[in-house]
Amino acid sequence: MISRLFIAAKPPRPKQVKTRLGATIGHDRATQLYRAFLRDLADRFATTDLPCGWFVPAGSWPEIRAVIGDGWETSPRVIQHGPNWGARQRLFFAQAADRGEARTVLIASDSPHLTVEVIRQAFLALEEHEVVLGPVRDGGYCLLGLRSGVDVLEGVVMSGPDVNREIESRCSRLGLRLACLEETFDVDQASDLDLLRALLATRSDLPATREALQ
């Protein structure tokens, strides 16, 4: 049994990714930015010793691979199944043991600045906790890590301001130990771009994102 990181990704198609952002800056521009997020995340985690895979919709891998480049063909790919994002995540984590994973961390591709160090902190937290959460400022999360066999998403409504509180409440009811990482942000709307620009001033490992914003 191993620990493994998965990156959740969508095929970068206009009006199918970053739709709230696209409504403000244009869907083609928002899609270009999302492509940059995928590229930067792929480049960062391709060079680590962390076992890493991708969590993607059925039939989308050729489009995603065209963005992230070569080097991922031998990495695990898990296909998303379910009527909504919450159901897809629940099934993904429920199948972790069948994939040979004792601890599984899933990150979104809306936070391209997540570092290798943050992922290592998440896996370290799972040594003492059943659940680790990477909260973002809008009340959701960009990272969720679980020990195999744990379910904290039943009944949790995604894309609302109370997602994290609902997960915390469920952990409390089930007697699960929860670790929360430092709060960060994801890029969902135009105001988040100011946070991203400020971050770029301190980071050198987001070249594709920097170019897209320029």
Side-chain angles (χ1 to χ4, degrees):
M1 301 288 278
I2 65 169
S3 298
R4 181 175 284 130
L5 166 70
F6 281 89
I7 303 170
K10 297 179 181 179
R13 303 169 186 166
K15 297 186 178 182
Q16 294 188 30
V17 296
K18 301 287 95 196
T19 53
R20 279 190 289 168
L21 180 62
T24 303
I25 69 171
H27 291 289
D28 288 340
R29 289 181 176 179
T31 302
Q32 181 182 8
L33 189 61
Y34 181 73
R35 289 171 62 90
F37 291 175
L38 290 180
R39 183 72 199 193
D40 284 335
L41 285 168
D43 287 350
R44 184 175 309 125
F45 290 106
T47 58
T48 74
D49 59 351
L50 292 170
C52 183
W54 293 83
F55 184 43
V56 300
S60 67
W61 181 245
E63 291 177 77
I64 294 171
R65 182 178 176 276
V67 175
I68 65 176
D70 297 327
W72 291 98
E73 284 307 306
T74 61
S75 298
R77 293 190 298 277
V78 176
I79 303 302
Q80 299 175 11
H81 294 288
N84 54 57
W85 182 230
R88 291 192 285 272
Q89 288 180 90
R90 287 190 69 200
L91 182 59
F92 165 79
F93 282 111
Q95 295 172 338
D98 293 338
R99 297 192 300 265
E101 298 156 16
R103 300 176 182 87
T104 307
V105 168
L106 178 66
I107 63 171
S109 43
D110 303 327
S111 298
H113 52 285
L114 288 176
T115 63
V116 174
E117 289 72 22
V118 166
I119 305 305
R120 294 194 192 282
Q121 290 173 19
F123 281 119
L124 185 62
L126 287 175
E127 293 183 6
E128 300 293 335
H129 303 77
E130 287 81 20
V131 185
V132 61
L133 195 65
V136 293
R137 62 200 298 267
D138 65 2
Y141 57 87
C142 61
L143 178 153
L144 179 62
L146 302 178
R147 289 190 187 179
S148 179
V150 172
D151 178 10
V152 296
L153 296 177
E154 182 179 8
V156 174
V157 179
M158 294 289 136
S159 301
D162 298 319
V163 173
N164 288 344
R165 283 195 289 270
E166 289 183 32
I167 291 175
E168 290 172 3
S169 177
R170 181 163 172 78
C171 286
S172 179
R173 293 195 305 271
L174 296 176
L176 300 173
R177 294 166 295 180
L178 169 66
C180 286
L181 305 176
E182 183 177 356
E183 184 180 84
T184 184
F185 66 95
D186 54 9
V187 181
D188 278 333
Q189 50 195 359
S191 59
D192 297 323
L193 296 179
D194 293 332
L195 299 172
L196 188 58
R197 289 189 182 97
L199 186 72
L200 287 172
T202 67
R203 295 274 293 271
S204 61
D205 60 342
L206 290 156
T209 299
R210 179 176 285 106
E211 182 179 355
L213 278 175
Q214 290 173 346

